Amino acid sequence: MSQQRNERPLKPSADFPDLPDATVARLPEYLRALHELSRTGNDVVSSEGLANAAGVNSAKLRKDLSYLRSNGTRGVGYDVAQLIEKIEHVLGLNQHRAVALVGVGNLGHALAGYAGFGTRGFHIAALFDADPSRVGEEINGLVVRHIDELAEVVAEEGISIAVIATPAFAAQPVADLLISCGVTSILNFAPCVLSVPDNVDVRKVDLAIELQILSFHEHRKSTLTALPGTVVGS
Amino acid sequence: MSQQRNERPLKPSADFPDLPDATVARLPEYLRALHELSRTGNDVVSSEGLANAAGVNSAKLRKDLSYLRSNGTRGVGYDVAQLIEKIEHVLGLNQHRAVALVGVGNLGHALAGYAGFGTRGFHIAALFDADPSRVGEEINGLVVRHIDELAEVVAEEGISIAVIATPAFAAQPVADLLISCGVTSILNFAPCVLSVPDNVDVRKVDLAIELQILSFHEHRKSTLTALPGTVVGS
DNA sequence: AGTTGTGAAGCCCTTCACAGCA
DNA sequence: TGCTGTGAAGGGCTTCACAACT
């Protein structure tokens, strides 16, 4: 059931304040902005400055950071290095996480080769496909393995996060298999709903859906500019 | 400023009721589910049935559809074909929209070859890159053109939506160029914030961010299971 | 009998505005 | 003086629960 957003069935622990989902979703963006600030020689940043770099407003940023028992200095701002450390800790990025990628088609290929993962706390530890003609291919230094080997590899590598980049029809069985092997977080690129137990988290990325949402805004914009006399509702 | 979600600076028109953003974001998922239902021979579906197929609850679905001046039949359900028609109209998918893709690297390649776009109301009409060594390459029947030709092609093809799949450092100048050519919707895969005028809509997809959000949940789960005395909520 | 459409309640998130602190 | 941290207010979305309708 746990589909995109909205789920927090467990109690917070001392180490993990019960962060609002909206906040969790923004922390990675703050982290990216902080790394950039750090790279460009900023040791300290104000909420206003960081908020701009992350594309949010400063009150929201401060509220978000306050959930982390924040440690800004009034009158000064936040220590960049310290805040990076804190957010990485909260997100659990200190242990470099191994990720399995299933489905080495068009998109899977690109994801396997995406350099951005490595620099941001992840590495693709194994590639799988069901198609024997793809098994054995080497991508970015990794050999594609048959999906039958999944259980073995997941155990060996201590994998708990997987990416599904298969066609839609294969996604549910692949998810079931992953879960049976102990995977508890899935990033799903297949255009379909996955049903999974409550303890498994799923996030979905659907490229066509993103375009359709933009299409709506295009449509609305063109409709409105075409109707000069339109009057406010309500 | 208009970054992800939350923006509706314009007035609603008669044709376009002022849909909540959350609703707009779900309509494409309903549409996908409806197409699948249609393909499997369902002419009519209840809110419960469609909600399951789309991974939401039925009250939310009904509320969403009510914004479209819905036309379900009490005691029966919704006519699948009619609802598809209506949602496609609202999303502006009746006119097949041409999309420009900028940046034909790893990810850009995959997006250019992604078959899912064509079947869901879009086609990639042109590919661009700044790297001369990539210009001229043919991908999926389209030739990669140099970004200097962008203005010309955007005008010719009537493009208003673009996808940015460049490295982060190139994304802002590319966005500026696109906007100067008349593009008003951008799907940004580069890991950075774009600043754009109010009339331009941006949606961002950042693969590392999705994984980091999952990482948080993994971290939380492992922290909690490590504390034996923790009790389940509600 | 069965299902939609929808006021009303509740929850979560955002934003405001300022007290508190360096 | 300047910026953070936060109670309180406000807004939007979800969920409930039932009236309306076929």
Side-chain angles (χ1 to χ4, degrees):
Chain A
M1 285 288 95
S2 58
Q3 199 71 10
Q4 204 97 322
R5 303 214 152 219
N6 278 14
E7 63 228 55
R8 208 157 344 105
L10 302 171
K11 289 266 175 78
S13 74
D15 200 34
F16 273 82
D18 192 20
L19 304 179
D21 288 332
T23 297
V24 172
R26 282 187 295 266
L27 290 179
E29 191 66 50
Y30 301 156
L31 186 58
R32 192 199 49 71
L34 284 164
H35 273 126
E36 190 166 317
L37 286 166
S38 171
R39 196 174 51 76
T40 54
N42 297 274
D43 293 342
V44 171
V45 66
S46 68
S47 63
E48 190 70 26
L50 180 52
N52 284 344
V56 302
N57 90 26
S58 65
K60 194 188 292 188
L61 173 80
R62 287 200 301 279
K63 182 72 91 179
D64 283 342
L65 295 185
S66 79
Y67 293 117
L68 311 184
R69 302 187 200 81
S70 51
N71 33 16
T73 309
R74 294 172 201 235
V76 179
Y78 300 90
D79 182 288
V80 172
Q82 200 174 315
L83 195 47
I84 286 176
E85 175 63 29
K86 180 156 245 165
I87 294 178
E88 289 189 338
H89 175 249
V90 170
L91 293 179
L93 298 176
N94 292 332
Q95 50 256 62
H96 214 72
R97 292 182 183 271
V99 174
L101 172 67
V102 184
V104 191
N106 221 338
L107 182 61
H109 243 92
L111 295 174
Y114 181 45
F117 291 142
T119 61
R120 291 165 80 188
F122 300 93
H123 79 278
I124 306 280
L127 308 177
F128 298 94
D129 207 297
D131 181 348
S133 73
R134 282 195 180 123
V135 171
E137 184 185 349
E138 188 178 317
I139 303 172
N140 220 18
L142 271 180
V143 175
V144 178
R145 311 174 78 151
H146 192 271
I147 190 141
D148 289 346
E149 299 179 57
L150 199 138
E152 186 187 338
V153 178
V154 164
E156 263 172 27
E157 304 269 353
I159 290 170
S160 62
I161 301 180
V163 177
I164 296 182
T166 66
F169 71 86
Q172 184 65 55
V174 164
D176 294 342
L177 177 59
L178 286 164
I179 293 164
S180 75
C181 296
V183 165
T184 45
S185 288
I186 294 175
L187 178 53
N188 179 30
F189 285 90
C192 62
V193 173
L194 294 180
S195 67
V196 302
D198 282 346
N199 66 316
V200 175
D201 290 289
V202 176
R203 294 193 63 87
K204 186 183 169 183
V205 175
D206 187 321
L207 309 174
I209 283 182
E210 297 301 323
L211 287 181
Q212 289 176 347
I213 294 170
L214 288 174
S215 173
F216 169 82
H217 291 297
E218 280 304 309
H219 191 196
R220 186 168 48 82
K221 280 183 273 193
S222 66
T223 305
L224 288 165
T225 54
L227 298 174
T230 312
V231 184
V232 189
S234 66
Chain B
M1 286 287 95
S2 58
Q3 199 70 9
Q4 204 96 322
R5 303 216 150 219
N6 277 13
E7 63 228 56
R8 205 154 347 99
L10 302 169
K11 308 274 172 69
S13 74
D15 201 34
F16 273 81
D18 193 18
L19 303 180
D21 288 333
T23 296
V24 172
R26 282 187 295 266
L27 291 179
E29 191 66 51
Y30 301 157
L31 187 58
R32 192 200 49 71
L34 284 163
H35 274 126
E36 190 165 315
L37 286 166
S38 170
R39 196 173 52 75
T40 53
N42 297 274
D43 293 343
V44 171
V45 66
S46 68
S47 64
E48 189 69 27
L50 180 53
N52 283 344
V56 303
N57 91 26
S58 64
K60 194 188 292 190
L61 174 79
R62 287 200 301 279
K63 181 74 89 178
D64 283 341
L65 295 185
S66 77
Y67 293 117
L68 311 184
R69 304 189 200 81
S70 51
N71 33 18
T73 309
R74 293 174 202 235
V76 179
Y78 300 89
D79 182 289
V80 171
Q82 200 174 314
L83 195 48
I84 287 176
E85 174 63 28
K86 180 158 246 163
I87 293 178
E88 290 190 337
H89 175 250
V90 169
L91 293 178
L93 298 176
N94 293 330
Q95 51 257 61
H96 215 71
R97 292 182 183 271
V99 174
L101 172 67
V102 184
V104 192
N106 222 338
L107 182 61
H109 244 90
L111 295 173
Y114 180 45
F117 292 143
T119 61
R120 291 165 80 187
F122 301 93
H123 78 279
I124 307 281
L127 308 177
F128 298 94
D129 206 296
D131 181 349
S133 72
R134 281 195 180 125
V135 172
E137 183 185 350
E138 187 178 317
I139 303 172
N140 219 19
L142 271 180
V143 175
V144 177
R145 311 176 78 151
H146 192 271
I147 191 142
D148 289 345
E149 300 179 57
L150 199 139
E152 186 188 338
V153 178
V154 163
E156 263 173 24
E157 304 269 352
I159 290 171
S160 61
I161 301 179
V163 176
I164 296 182
T166 66
F169 72 85
Q172 183 66 55
V174 164
D176 294 341
L177 178 60
L178 286 164
I179 292 164
S180 76
C181 295
V183 165
T184 46
S185 288
I186 294 175
L187 178 54
N188 180 29
F189 284 90
C192 63
V193 172
L194 295 180
S195 68
V196 302
D198 281 345
N199 66 317
V200 175
D201 290 288
V202 176
R203 292 193 63 86
K204 185 181 169 188
V205 175
D206 187 320
L207 308 175
I209 284 182
E210 298 301 323
L211 287 180
Q212 289 176 347
I213 295 170
L214 288 174
S215 173
F216 169 82
H217 292 296
E218 279 305 309
H219 191 195
R220 186 168 47 83
K221 280 183 277 194
S222 66
T223 305
L224 287 166
T225 52
L227 299 173
T230 313
V231 183
V232 187
S234 61

